[in-house]
Amino acid sequence: RHYLPQLNSPSLMIGDWNLGPTFSQKAFIKICDIAGKYDFWSLYHLFFGLDETETQHSTFKSTRNTYHHLDQVFGCSFFQKHLNSMAIPAIEDVVLSDHAPICVDFDLSANPTNAVQMWPHRLTWILLTIAFTEWPLWLSTYLLTCSSTQSV
């Protein structure tokens, strides 16, 4: 509630939230409801046409071999309209982490706005959360890769 009114469009909220449709579902639904009041929605659920209580992909595998969807990508209406694709590899194929990367591609070539004139026509966001379980420190990495439509 505190941060959403401060976000200027276009905005994304991404990361390991430690909750989701498979873990702390009530808290996740509450956050989805609050975000929705500010027109922020789960891009995962929008892209895959799922209810917020559902998932088809696990993004985290615990040391107890439980699987959960904990990593989230929420976007304002601008990113909802320009969402081109989303991919999450199988958690069993993930290397060096207990989290799966979330790859999101936005097509900004149609009707670009002043807010994104400095951005290329295609924006690909890859969320990688790397957790080294041997270390007491958790390391999260977020990569932003950009390319023009000519090179795609």
Side-chain angles (χ1 to χ4, degrees):
R1 282 177 247 205
H2 176 72
Y3 297 107
L4 280 165
Q6 298 177 34
L7 295 175
N8 294 321
S9 191
S11 298
L12 291 168
M13 296 186 303
I14 63 170
D16 174 4
W17 292 13
N18 286 323
L19 51 88
T22 60
F23 188 79
S24 296
Q25 190 180 76
K26 277 186 171 180
F28 180 66
I29 297 303
K30 184 176 180 179
I31 288 174
C32 290
D33 290 343
I34 292 168
K37 292 177 184 175
Y38 295 92
D39 201 25
F40 276 81
W41 302 100
S42 167
L43 298 182
Y44 172 83
H45 291 92
L46 178 71
F47 183 78
F48 289 102
L50 298 172
D51 184 78
E52 293 159 341
T53 61
E54 300 174 301
T55 186
Q56 296 175 347
H57 301 86
S58 295
T59 64
F60 173 76
K61 179 182 176 184
S62 76
T63 56
R64 297 180 192 153
N65 287 328
T66 58
Y67 296 81
H68 295 288
H69 185 141
L70 303 180
D71 302 274
Q72 310 301 331
V73 180
F74 275 61
C76 67
S77 61
F78 175 83
F79 287 107
Q80 295 165 33
K81 291 176 195 168
H82 296 320
L83 180 59
N84 190 45
S85 67
M86 179 175 282
I88 302 172
I91 194 74
E92 295 81 13
D93 297 335
V94 174
V95 179
L96 295 178
S97 180
D98 52 0
H99 288 262
I102 299 174
C103 306
V104 185
D105 183 68
F106 300 97
D107 185 355
L108 306 179
S109 61
N111 304 320
T113 66
N114 291 337
V116 294
Q117 283 182 345
M118 74 292 281
W119 293 1
H121 294 294
R122 281 179 84 84
L123 176 67
T124 303
W125 189 277
I126 304 171
L127 167 63
L128 298 173
T129 306
I130 303 171
F132 296 96
T133 54
E134 304 85 29
W135 298 358
L137 174 67
W138 290 75
L139 172 66
S140 296
T141 305
Y142 305 97
L143 299 177
L144 178 65
T145 60
C146 302
S147 61
S148 68
T149 53
Q150 291 85 15
S151 64
V152 173

